[in-house]
């Protein structure tokens, strides 16, 4: 299996909505973004699948060394081998890739966030940086486009947090800020025991409104000159906003189940967004 085939398999197996946004890209950009996505999955799995935090830290340290080796022209992992040819072409830099690794390590260090500024810092590492790197691959002519990508990454992560509240709580992680839980009278035990209530719906409505605002602010930053190149991000946004709306229409029942869109609906949203341009 070639490095590119390894990354392609990683993307397909994940079942992620991101895969649908890759379908309409030219071949070289598609290879680059698939390699980047596979890198993110590999690093994320290092933390999610580790039963021993010490082992996870050792593996993350290895990934930091591997990033250095890749930029030195000597990658050893299939993912870094696939990503290496695209570093110069799309102006990808090591500080952003290292920031992603730092974000994954934050999950080993911290399972609660006191307030939104603290959560936003985490989101920057695990999502906004990915947005910046992705936008660079898609094509950027204006600096505002990178600001758009950074904000869009935040919107995606806020959507993920809303979708995964129950699942994350069962893993011992609560990303909803502590002061906001207190504001709406919700305890960690409520989340862990899937106690859906009117207060919980109010809390989630608050999170929903913030995520929608992040999408609106991101779109306002995207220059018209780069809109066509950035269609993959717009495809992702269409899918994620549809998911967010689905969660809202379901009454925010995210504690006991994971709400998702069907593959055919994702493909339809991707095609509709691509054609709209």
């Amino acid at each position: 299996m070639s490095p590119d085939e390894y990354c392609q398999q990683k993307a397909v197996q994940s079942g992620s909505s991101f895969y649908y946004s890759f379908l309409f890209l030219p071949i070289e950009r598609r290879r680059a973004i698939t390699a980047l996505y596979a890198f993110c999955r590999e690093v994320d799995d290092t933390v999610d699948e580790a039963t021993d935090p010490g082992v996870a830290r050792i593996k993350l340290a290895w990934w930091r060394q591997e990033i250095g080796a890749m930029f030195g022209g000597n990658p050893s992992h299939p993912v870094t081998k696939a990503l290496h040819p695209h570093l110069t072409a799309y102006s990808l830099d090591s500080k952003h890739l290292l920031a992603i690794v730092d974000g994954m390590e934050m999950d080993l260090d911290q399972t609660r966030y006191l307030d939104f500024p603290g959560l936003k810092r985490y989101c920057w590492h695990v999502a906004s940086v990915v947005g910046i790197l992705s936008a660079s691959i898609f094509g950027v002519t204006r600096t505002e486009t990178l600001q758009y990508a950074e904000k869009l990454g935040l919107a995606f992560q806020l959507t993920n947090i809303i979708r995964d509240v129950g699942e994350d709580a069962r893993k011992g992680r609560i990303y909803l800020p502590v002061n906001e839980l207190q504001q709406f009278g919700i305890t960690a035990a409520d989340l862990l025991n899937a106690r859906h209530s009117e207060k919980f719906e109010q809390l989630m409505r608050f999170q929903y409104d913030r995520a929608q605002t992040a999408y609106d602010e991101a779109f306002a930053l995207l220059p018209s000159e780069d809109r066509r190149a950035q269609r993959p991000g717009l495809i992702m946004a269409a899918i994620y906003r549809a998911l967010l709306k689905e969660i809202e229409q379901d009454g925010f029942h995210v504690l006991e189940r994971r709400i998702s869109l069907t593959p055919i609906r994702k493909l339809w949203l991707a095609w509709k967004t691509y054609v709209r341009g």
Side-chain angles (χ1 to χ4, degrees), residues 142-207:
R142 299 275 299 276
T143 56
E144 295 93 332
T145 301
L146 297 179
Q147 296 169 6
Y148 141 83
E150 184 176 356
K151 179 68 75 170
L152 190 60
L154 172 64
F156 288 160
Q157 190 62 23
L158 293 177
T159 304
N160 284 338
I161 288 169
I162 291 169
R163 179 194 63 194
D164 298 337
V165 168
E167 187 178 323
D168 286 335
R170 287 185 289 276
K171 292 178 181 177
R173 298 174 186 165
I174 298 175
Y175 294 104
L176 301 178
V178 171
N179 66 342
E180 294 173 8
L181 290 172
Q182 293 171 341
Q183 178 184 339
F184 289 91
I186 299 297
T187 66
D190 291 332
L191 304 183
L192 186 58
N193 295 306
R195 295 179 190 141
H196 187 92
S197 64
E198 185 177 339
K199 289 189 297 184
F200 176 75
E201 288 184 24
Q202 291 169 353
L203 168 66
M204 297 313 292
R205 168 69 63 182
F206 182 81
Q207 308 300 321

Side-chain angles (χ1 to χ4, degrees), residues 24 36 40 46 72 79 92-93 116 141-142 154-155 157 159 162 169-170 190-191 211 222 234 237 252-253 255 274:
F24 304 98
L36 175 63
C40 294
T46 294
V79 163
L92 308 180
D93 59 48
F116 183 64
T141 64
R142 299 275 299 276
L154 172 64
Q157 190 62 23
T159 304
I162 291 169
R170 287 185 289 276
D190 291 332
L191 304 183
L222 178 60
L234 296 173
F252 300 106
H253 284 275
L255 290 174
Y274 179 82

Side-chain angles (χ1 to χ4, degrees), residues 252-277:
F252 300 106
H253 284 275
V254 289
L255 290 174
E256 64 272 29
R257 58 179 177 263
R258 192 176 197 266
I259 298 169
S260 61
L261 304 181
T262 63
I264 192 68
R265 187 172 175 194
K266 291 178 183 178
L267 189 60
W268 166 244
L269 288 166
W271 172 247
K272 188 168 68 170
T273 306
Y274 179 82
V275 170
R276 189 183 302 147

